[in-house]
C-alpha cells in the first residue's frame, strides 16, 4: 500500500512539473504586449512674430527716352506677424503682414535726367499655406507659398511729392520651428517676396518726384533671412 501511495505521489508531481514547464515555455514564446497611447492631434492657432533682414533689388522701367527710371530698392529691417491655423500635423493656413521702411536711390527723367533718394514703405498682406515635415523631435521643418497684396508708399524728400500703389504679390518661404516647450518655439526662416508690377499698371519713380500710373513694367523681388517666435494658443 505504501508503495502504491509513493507511485501515485510521483505521478502527480511529474504531472505538475510538466504543466509548469509548458506554461513557462508559452510565456517565453509570447512576449508581453505594451500599449502606447499617443496624444491625438487637435487643430489649433499659432501666433507668429517675424524679424528679417531684406536684401536690395534693382528695378527699372523704360517707357521712352523721356519717361524712365532705374535704381534699386534697398534692403533693411523687415518686421511683421502672422496668424496660423494648424489644420493637421502637416498642414496649416496663415495670413501674415510684413513691413519694410527703406530708401530707393533712383535715376529718372523729369524735364531732364534727375537723381533722388526716395523714402519707400512696403507693406505685404499675404495668405498662404505651410507644409510641415515632422521629425519626431523638437525641430519642425516647413515650406510654404503665399499670395496677396504689396502696398507701396513713396515720398521724394527733395520736393515733398508722394505717391502710392497697390500691386499683386506672391511669396515663397522655408524654415524651421525649434520648440523650447510645448507652447513656444523659435523660428528660423528664409524666403522671397515679389511685387508683380505688370498687374494693374506700374509703380514708377519720376513725374515730378514720384508717382504711379503709366503702363510700364518692373517686377520687384526681395530675398530675406531671419527668424522670430511662434506661440501655440490653446491646449
Amino acid at each position: 500500500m505504501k508503495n502504491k501511495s509513493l507511485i501515485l505521489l510521483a505521478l502527480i508531481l511529474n504531472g505538475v512539473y510538466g504543466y509548469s514547464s509548458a506554461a513557462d515555455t508559452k510565456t517565453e514564446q509570447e512576449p508581453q504586449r505594451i500599449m502606447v497611447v499617443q496624444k491625438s492631434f487637435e487643430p489649433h492657432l499659432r501666433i507668429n512674430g517675424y524679424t528679417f533682414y531684406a536684401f536690395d533689388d534693382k528695378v527699372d522701367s523704360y517707357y521712352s527716352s523721356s519717361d524712365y527710371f532705374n535704381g534699386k530698392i534697398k534692403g533693411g529691417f523687415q518686421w511683421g506677424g502672422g496668424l496660423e491655423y494648424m489644420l493637421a500635423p502637416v498642414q496649416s493656413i496663415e495670413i501674415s503682414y510684413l513691413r519694410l521702411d527703406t530708401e530707393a536711390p533712383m535715376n529718372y527723367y523729369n524735364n531732364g535726367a534727375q537723381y533722388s533718394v526716395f523714402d519707400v514703405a512696403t507693406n505685404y498682406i499675404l495668405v498662404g499655406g505651410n507644409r510641415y515635415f515632422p521629425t519626431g523631435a523638437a525641430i519642425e521643418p516647413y515650406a510654404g507659398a503665399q499670395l496677396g497684396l504689396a502696398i507701396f508708399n513713396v515720398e521724394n524728400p527733395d520736393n515733398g511729392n508722394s505717391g502710392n500703389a497697390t500691386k499683386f504679390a506672391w511669396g515663397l518661404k522655408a524654415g524651421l520651428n525649434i520648440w523650447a516647450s510645448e507652447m513656444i518655439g523659435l523660428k528660423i526662416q528664409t524666403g522671397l517676396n515679389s511685387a508683380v508690377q505688370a498687374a494693374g499698371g506700374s509703380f514708377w519713380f519720376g513725374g515730378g518726384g514720384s508717382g504711379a500710373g503709366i503702363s510700364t513694367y518692373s517686377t520687384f523681388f526681395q530675398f530675406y533671412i531671419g527668424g522670430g517666435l511662434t506661440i501655440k494658443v490653446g491646449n
Side-chain angles (χ1 to χ4, degrees), residues 77-107:
F77 175 71
Q78 189 175 48
W79 59 271
L83 293 177
E84 182 180 13
Y85 189 71
M86 296 297 299
L87 300 168
V90 297
Q91 189 66 48
S92 73
I93 57 173
E94 181 180 11
I95 179 169
S96 59
Y97 168 79
L98 295 172
R99 181 179 175 92
L100 172 65
D101 292 288
T102 187
E103 295 180 339
M106 292 285 165
N107 296 296

Side-chain angles (χ1 to χ4, degrees), residues 12 20 26 36 64 80 82 84 114 126 135 139 143 155 159-160 163 169 195 205 235:
I12 293 172
S20 176
K26 185 177 180 181
V36 178
S64 69
E84 182 180 13
Q114 305 285 335
L126 301 167
T135 63
I139 297 177
E155 182 177 350
N159 55 29
F205 299 85
N235 297 327

Side-chain angles (χ1 to χ4, degrees), residues 49-54 76-80 98 100 187-191 193 224-228:
Y50 298 110
T51 56
F52 301 131
Y53 179 80
F77 175 71
Q78 189 175 48
W79 59 271
L98 295 172
L100 172 65
K187 298 185 75 71
I188 299 174
Q189 184 172 305
T190 186
N193 290 326
Y224 64 83
I225 187 169

